[in-house]
């Protein structure tokens, strides 16, 4: 069976995101346990959404859904970051595309009547796009140390030799502090870097070129797409 599935293990992330030890230690232990019994296995986060109540990482539960909720969007960006960097997940899937419920389980919202004219985009949808639009199949994560603060900057980077692209996703999880970003690119020669931003004012918007010291506003996710020479 392992040969048929190509040594992939599928997990669900429910109830693993509301407290800090589950956001860190639990993911580290899972990765270690998988490696001990099935070396080289790919872990797929095949299903996750908000379940349960609040904790020390999030101040909300699943009930109630505001399409413009940046707290939810940034929280899920944190979860994606930890799943990709600590769990080393090679695939990541949200539970539901469209929800007719007043519950945080869909990327898009629609009225309970299912009237297509009531369909709403959400900040969660756009924030997830900072990852999914630019990190494409075949991209490999590369080392990017020093950006793993649940209350500050979180960053990860992905490279495609075929496309000649380096994609860096940075989350400023601070509620009130803007932060300058300095990236060590000495070992990779870049010819240009475009910035795409999602926050309360932008939906995956192209906002210009990246320069060292670029200021990332609070509760903001940016994707830096760089051409590699």
């Amino acid at each position: 069976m392992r040969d048929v599935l190509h040594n992939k293990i599928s997990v669900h992330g429910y109830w693993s995101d509301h407290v800090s030890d589950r956001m860190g230690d639990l993911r580290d232990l899972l990765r270690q346990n998988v490696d001990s019994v099935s070396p080289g296995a790919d872990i797929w986060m095949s299903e996750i959404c908000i379940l349960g109540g609040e904790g020390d990482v999030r101040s909300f539960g699943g009930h109630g859904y505001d399409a413009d909720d940046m707290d939810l969007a940034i929280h899920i960006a944190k979860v994606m970051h930890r799943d990709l960097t600590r769990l080393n997940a090679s695939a990541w899937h949200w539970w539901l595309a469209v929800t007719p419920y007043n519950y945080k389980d869909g990327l898009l919202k629609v009225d309970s009547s299912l009237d297509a004219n009531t369909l709403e985009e959400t900040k969660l949808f756009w924030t997830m796009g900072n990852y999914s639009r630019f990190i494409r199949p075949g991209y490999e994560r590369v080392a990017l140390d020093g950006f793993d603060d649940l209350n500050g900057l979180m960053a990860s980077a992905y490279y495609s030799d075929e496309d000649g692209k380096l994609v860096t996703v940075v989350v400023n999880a601070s509620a009130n502090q803007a932060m300058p970003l300095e990236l060590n690119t000495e070992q990779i020669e870049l010819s240009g870097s475009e910035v795409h931003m999602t926050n309360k004012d932008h939906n995956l918007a192209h906002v210009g070129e990246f320069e060292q010291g670029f200021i990332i506003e609070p509760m903001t996710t940016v994707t830096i797409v760089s051409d590699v020479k």
Side-chain angles (χ1 to χ4, degrees), residues 140-145 155-158 166 184 188:
E140 295 187 2
R141 189 168 64 85
V142 297
L144 183 61
D145 298 328
S156 53
Y158 310 83
L166 180 70
N184 181 4
I188 303 177

Side-chain angles (χ1 to χ4, degrees), residues 29-183:
L29 288 171
L30 175 57
R31 181 72 257 181
Q32 293 167 17
N33 287 337
V34 168
D35 288 342
S36 71
V37 298
S38 189
D42 291 332
I43 296 179
W44 285 14
M45 177 56 69
S46 62
E47 194 172 308
I48 188 171
C49 74
I50 301 297
L51 290 183
E54 62 185 59
D56 67 334
V57 177
R58 70 174 198 228
S59 60
F60 52 82
H63 292 283
Y65 196 178
D66 176 4
D68 293 324
D69 187 351
M70 281 306 305
D71 287 334
L72 170 63
I74 291 296
H75 175 70
I76 296 304
K78 296 180 187 180
V79 175
M80 294 183 73
H81 169 84
R82 284 291 174 90
D83 283 345
L84 293 170
T85 60
R86 303 281 281 267
L87 191 59
N88 202 26
S90 60
W92 202 94
H93 304 84
W94 184 253
W95 157 237
L96 196 60
V98 182
T99 183
Y101 314 111
N102 189 25
Y103 197 88
K104 301 178 182 70
D105 60 354
L107 294 181
L108 304 174
K109 288 186 62 181
V110 70
D111 187 77
S112 58
S113 67
L114 303 184
D115 182 349
N117 292 321
T118 66
L119 190 68
E120 293 183 85
E121 301 165 353
T122 71
K123 289 297 182 179
L124 171 60
F125 169 82
W126 289 110
T127 297
M128 284 184 58
N130 277 94
Y131 287 91
S132 62
R133 180 177 177 183
F134 303 102
I135 306 169
R136 307 306 301 164
Y139 279 59
E140 295 187 2
R141 189 168 64 85
V142 297
L144 183 61
D145 298 328
F147 298 99
D148 192 37
D149 185 353
L150 285 171
N151 298 304
L153 290 183
M154 309 179 80
S156 53
Y158 310 83
Y159 174 67
S160 169
D161 182 61
E162 180 178 351
D163 292 347
K165 299 284 187 183
L166 180 70
V167 173
T168 306
V169 183
V170 187
V171 182
N172 182 358
S174 171
N176 49 37
Q177 184 177 353
M179 297 186 180
L181 178 64
E182 298 280 345
L183 292 176

